[in-house]
């Protein structure tokens, strides 16, 4: 069944696929599996096995990491055309964080076999995919570094600790 | 002007019993006001009171018994400290403060917390402005060399932290005599006799210094070296006084102050927890060593043959001892010596030098306006008198050396 036009239009806005040609997008769309989440529904928890990358098509999801008891720190809020879960897709490691829907959401899932098919049949598209992925990684690494600094600042401010004079 | 960043925020997800959850943004400022500071357990600190005669306010000295650090607290700060029981949040503390004083100074709580956390107010090794300037110019070879040399000297520190038994024994075996009325009267009498001898010697100053012959400079250097021994005695008497009033001498030793001023020192900060009389006696008693030694030297000089080496040596020693006495007792010289401590203690303004210099710097930098309150007047008088005194001291010493050499 051919991919609907609105899906192709959406995929063109996803950073991973911006350099894909039309036939590449059509081939990719066939590998994607749609999933629906209700508000508050957990997609996966930290430590769960997994090998899928998810692209948010509608709604938004929260990525969180356990801190203490029932409290988790919100690491990211993923909105339409953005994606998450790429680490398990690439290295097959357990999920490093929990993901839940902040509002009703529709996701597109790309699993490892879908990625393998893309790499095997369309090296040009695969190269574009990985190149975009590296850029996103760099961006997220920068954001993580900033988050660490902000968390440290939060701690210092919250405790009133005077480090400068020590 | 650098803008202060907005308080940091953490986004937290809190799960409920059912599947639902909620996201809460927690600002660091909220966390701060909800924190519940806890002071040390009873017995881990001591509080002593003093009264400021300038500002007419009460003040307190807080001693951490474990770290042996001291903090000066105002009355409102002590009020806050007493409420820091681990159950009262900072928000509740602020409310209590308003109910008690009818107003709220937004900075007082964070400032107090910083002070309490720091607890390093009394250190014997302050970093000087010279060292800061050298550090800034470390790229220049000369500055680097001087800094390395000063750092090397600063590392030379011979000290003991177990001196209390020594001072206790010394006090028991006769040291207590120093603090008797008879000793005070003898000291005073010796001072008067020494003064009379010094006045008589002044008339023949040129003849006296001729006793050095052609070795005036060498003579003055030996006098200085001998004087250095009396500095150790000065510190021993401070330690004895501290023990006399039932407090602890924490450390005694030799070090290079600021990296280049060789000095003996004794840490008698524990005396802050004693009465004002005890603090004053402890501060003054050490300086009296110079009064006694100076008087003895002047009496020797008066008895020695005119123009002899003995007379010249004794007179120079007497001058340097009494000069040390004057410097030790004189509070206006930007140095926190014994007289300064007595002065600020009597006034009840323990941070006078710091406050005065900060105010003067702010005035000169255009960051503060000239005000004519009692405290501001005291600060300006302190800075002016100290500046004039140092200039006079330098001029006197130049004159003395020139006279000795001529």
């Amino acid at each position: 069944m051919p991919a609907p036009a609105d899906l192709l239009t959406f995929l063109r806005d996803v950073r991973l696929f911006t350099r894909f040609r039309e036939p590449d997008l059509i081939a990719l769309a066939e590998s994607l599996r749609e999933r629906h989440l209700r508000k508050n529904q957990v997609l996966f928890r930290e430590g769960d096995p997994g090998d899928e990358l998810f692209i948010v098509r509608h709604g938004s999801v929260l990525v969180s990491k356990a801190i203490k008891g029932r409290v988790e720190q919100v690491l990211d809020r993923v909105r339409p055309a953005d994606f998450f879960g790429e680490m398990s897709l690439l290295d097959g490691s357990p999920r490093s964080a929990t993901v839940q829907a902040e509002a009703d959401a529709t996701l597109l899932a790309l699993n490892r076999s879908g990625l393998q098919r893309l790499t095997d049949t369309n090296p040009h598209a695969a190269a574009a995919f990985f190149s975009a992925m590296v850029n996103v990684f760099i961006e997220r690494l920068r954001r993580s570094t900033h988050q660490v600094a902000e968390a440290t600042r939060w701690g210092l401010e919250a405790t009133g600790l005077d480090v400068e004079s020590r | 002007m650098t803008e202060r960043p907005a308080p940091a925020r953490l986004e937290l997800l809190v799960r409920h019993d059912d599947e639902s959850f909620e996201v809460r943004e927690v600002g660091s400022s909220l966390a701060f006001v909800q924190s519940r500071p806890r002071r040390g357990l009873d017995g881990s600190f001591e509080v002593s009171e003093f009264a400021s005669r300038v500002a007419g306010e009460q003040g307190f000295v807080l001693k951490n018994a474990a770290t042996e650090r001291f903090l000066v607290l105002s009355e409102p700060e002590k009020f806050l400290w007493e409420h820091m029981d681990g159950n009262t949040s900072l928000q509740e503390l602020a409310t209590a403060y308003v109910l008690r004083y009818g107003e709220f100074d937004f900075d007082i709580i964070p400032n107090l917390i910083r002070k309490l956390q720091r607890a390093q107010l009394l250190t014997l090794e302050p970093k000087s402005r010279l060292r800061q300037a050298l550090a800034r110019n470390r790229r220049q070879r000369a500055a680097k060399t001087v800094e390395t040399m000063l750092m090397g000297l600063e590392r030379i520190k011979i000290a003991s932290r177990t001196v209390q038994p020594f001072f206790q024994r010394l006090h028991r075996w006769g040291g207590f005599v120093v603090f008797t009325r008879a000793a005070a009267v003898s000291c005073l009498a010796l001072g008067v006799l020494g003064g009379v001898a010094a006045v008589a010697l002044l008339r023949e100053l040129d003849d006296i210094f001729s006793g050095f012959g052609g070795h005036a400079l060498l003579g003055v250097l030996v006098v200085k070296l001998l004087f250095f021994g009396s500095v150790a005695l000065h510190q021993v008497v401070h330690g004895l006084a501290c023990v006399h009033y039932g407090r602890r001498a924490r450390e005694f030793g030799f070090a290079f102050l600021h990296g280049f001023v060789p000095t003996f020192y004794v840490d008698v900060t524990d005396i802050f927890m004693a009465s004002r009389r005890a603090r004053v006696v402890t501060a003054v008693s050490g300086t009296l060593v110079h009064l006694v030694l100076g008087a003895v030297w002047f009496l020797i000089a008066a008895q020695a043959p005119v123009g002899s080496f003995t007379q010249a040596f004794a007179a120079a020693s007497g001058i340097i001892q009494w000069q040390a006495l004057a410097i030790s007792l004189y509070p206006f010289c930007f140095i926190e010596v014994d007289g300064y401590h007595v002065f600020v203690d009597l006034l009840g303004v323990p941070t006078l030098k710091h406050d005065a210099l900060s105010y003067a710097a702010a005035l000169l930098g255009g960051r503060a306006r000239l005000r004519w309150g009692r405290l501001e007047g005291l600060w300006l008088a302190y800075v002016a008198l100290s500046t004039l005194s140092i200039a006079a001291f330098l001029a006197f010493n130049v004159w003395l050396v020139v006279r000795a050499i001529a």
Side-chain angles (χ1 to χ4, degrees):
Chain A
M1 196 172 79
D6 61 335
L7 176 60
L8 294 180
T9 306
F10 168 76
L11 288 176
R12 274 192 204 97
D13 288 337
V14 177
R15 286 182 64 185
L16 293 174
F17 313 129
T18 48
R19 286 166 57 200
F20 275 40
R21 292 171 302 195
E22 188 77 6
D24 302 335
L25 279 179
I26 293 169
L28 172 78
E30 287 171 7
S31 301
L32 298 175
R33 188 172 58 88
E34 197 167 82
R35 276 200 65 171
H36 297 280
L37 289 180
R38 295 184 318 278
K39 184 183 175 183
N40 289 351
Q41 187 181 347
V42 173
L43 176 65
F44 55 73
R45 293 182 191 279
E46 191 176 337
D48 285 353
D51 70 344
E52 288 174 311
L53 169 149
F54 294 92
I55 303 156
V56 177
R57 189 164 183 199
H58 301 295
S60 68
V61 300
L62 288 176
V63 182
S64 62
K65 191 145 179 81
I67 299 291
K68 184 185 175 188
R70 295 179 179 184
V71 180
E72 296 169 27
Q73 186 180 356
V74 176
L75 300 178
D76 202 2
R77 181 176 273 100
V78 190
R79 296 201 160 86
D82 207 350
F83 64 92
F84 59 90
E86 69 283 355
M87 290 196 286
S88 292
L89 170 74
L90 295 176
D91 69 0
S93 59
R95 298 296 184 183
S96 60
T98 302
V99 172
Q100 51 266 301
E102 192 180 25
D104 288 348
T106 306
L107 311 175
L108 298 171
L110 173 67
N111 62 17
R112 191 172 290 181
S113 59
L115 178 64
Q116 190 63 51
R117 200 158 43 246
L118 177 74
T119 314
D120 293 344
T121 59
N122 197 339
H124 174 264
F129 173 87
F130 286 114
S131 169
M133 183 76 88
V134 168
N135 284 330
V136 173
F137 276 154
I138 291 169
E139 199 176 278
R140 288 186 179 173
L141 189 61
R142 285 207 177 105
R143 199 163 61 203
S144 290
T145 309
H146 178 70
Q147 273 180 334
V148 170
E150 278 298 285
T152 307
R153 184 164 76 91
W154 190 94
L156 291 178
E157 288 175 359
T159 54
L161 194 63
D162 180 21
V163 185
E164 284 177 14
S165 309
R166 282 179 172 243
Chain B
M1 200 172 95
T2 316
E3 262 188 47
R4 211 172 161 177
R9 306 187 76 80
L10 278 186
E11 208 175 4
L12 299 175
L13 182 150
V14 183
R15 294 196 184 283
H16 299 150
D17 285 334
D18 53 11
E19 246 194 1
S20 65
F21 60 83
E22 64 177 302
V23 176
R24 292 181 193 162
E25 268 206 345
V26 184
S28 56
S29 48
L30 178 69
F32 182 64
V33 298
Q34 288 188 355
S35 62
R36 295 167 194 276
R38 181 194 293 273
R39 63 171 184 270
L41 298 171
D42 287 349
S44 66
F45 59 86
E46 280 183 72
V47 179
S48 172
E49 189 179 339
F50 68 89
S52 167
R53 289 173 185 172
V54 178
E57 291 169 354
Q58 258 185 320
F60 298 88
V61 178
L62 176 66
K63 176 192 173 187
N64 183 328
T67 61
E68 303 225 344
R69 301 288 182 192
F70 298 82
L71 292 171
V72 175
L73 303 183
S74 62
E75 200 278 325
E77 285 178 327
K78 180 170 175 276
F79 171 79
L80 292 170
W81 157 257
E82 282 171 345
H83 282 75
M84 291 181 176
D85 53 6
N87 297 315
T88 313
S89 71
L90 290 183
Q91 201 162 20
E92 291 161 340
L93 268 179
T95 307
Y97 187 96
V98 172
L99 291 175
R100 166 76 178 258
Y101 297 101
E103 58 180 10
F104 186 58
D105 172 2
F106 281 96
D107 287 331
I108 190 168
I109 293 183
N111 285 345
L112 173 61
I113 286 182
R114 271 196 288 275
K115 269 168 72 172
L116 292 169
Q117 286 180 330
R118 207 178 303 147
Q120 303 270 350
L121 284 186
L122 295 172
T123 171
L124 291 169
E125 295 167 288
K127 195 155 215 171
S128 68
R129 285 178 188 274
L130 169 67
R131 296 293 298 277
Q132 288 171 13
L134 288 173
R136 275 198 303 276
N137 297 291
R138 209 171 274 158
R139 284 182 191 164
Q140 294 172 21
R141 182 172 288 186
K144 173 86 180 162
T145 307
V146 174
E147 191 189 20
T148 309
M149 198 178 75
L150 291 182
M151 280 170 74
L153 284 173
E154 212 170 55
R155 285 198 191 102
I156 301 173
K157 181 177 172 182
I158 306 157
S160 170
R161 291 187 70 90
T162 52
V163 291
Q164 176 71 355
F166 164 76
F167 281 110
Q168 281 175 325
R169 276 197 297 273
L170 198 60
H171 185 264
R172 203 165 45 240
W173 294 344
F176 66 90
V177 174
V178 176
F179 306 98
T180 58
R181 194 158 296 193
V185 171
S186 306
C187 187
L188 198 66
L190 204 55
V192 171
L193 288 174
V196 171
V199 170
L201 289 167
L202 262 179
R203 295 185 199 128
E204 302 163 336
L205 208 57
D206 289 336
D207 293 336
I208 290 168
F209 283 130
S210 68
F212 277 126
H215 308 289
L217 207 57
L218 187 67
V220 170
L221 282 176
V222 175
V223 165
K224 290 257 182 196
L225 208 64
L226 203 64
F227 162 76
F228 195 60
S230 70
V231 176
L233 193 59
H234 174 141
Q235 302 302 329
V236 167
V237 175
H238 277 318
L240 269 179
C242 188
V243 168
H244 181 71
Y245 286 102
R247 304 307 303 192
R248 202 162 75 83
R250 295 169 60 206
E251 189 172 316
F252 181 85
F254 169 84
F256 282 88
L257 192 65
H258 302 303
F260 65 95
V261 184
T263 188
F264 288 95
Y265 68 91
V266 63
D267 183 351
V268 291
T269 44
D270 200 35
I271 203 68
F272 287 146
M273 309 316 293
S275 65
R276 174 174 276 162
R277 177 190 163 84
R279 293 194 296 268
V280 170
V281 171
T282 301
V284 171
S285 58
T287 63
L288 294 183
V289 165
H290 302 301
L291 174 75
V292 170
L293 290 178
V296 169
W297 280 121
F298 281 132
L299 289 171
I300 291 171
Q303 298 302 315
V306 176
S308 67
F309 180 82
T310 307
Q311 190 185 43
F313 192 88
S317 296
I319 289 173
I320 200 170
Q321 286 293 347
W322 277 21
Q323 188 173 281
L325 172 72
I327 292 171
S328 299
L329 287 178
Y330 191 63
F332 306 106
C333 55
F334 292 127
I335 307 171
E336 294 180 22
V337 285
D338 301 320
Y340 170 85
H341 289 301
V342 172
F343 182 64
V344 298
D345 202 346
L346 292 175
L347 291 178
V349 280
T351 51
L352 172 64
K353 185 186 122 185
H354 173 268
D355 295 342
L357 288 177
S358 302
Y359 183 60
L363 277 181
L364 292 173
R367 297 186 306 279
R369 283 188 180 175
L370 195 60
R371 294 190 305 264
W372 293 108
R374 291 175 75 182
L375 266 176
E376 289 82 0
L378 176 68
W379 293 337
L380 290 177
Y382 175 79
V383 172
L385 272 172
S386 297
T387 309
L388 286 173
S389 304
I390 286 177
F393 172 77
L394 291 174
F396 174 69
N397 271 275
V398 169
W399 173 80
L400 205 62
V401 171
V402 168
R403 282 292 291 272
I405 293 170

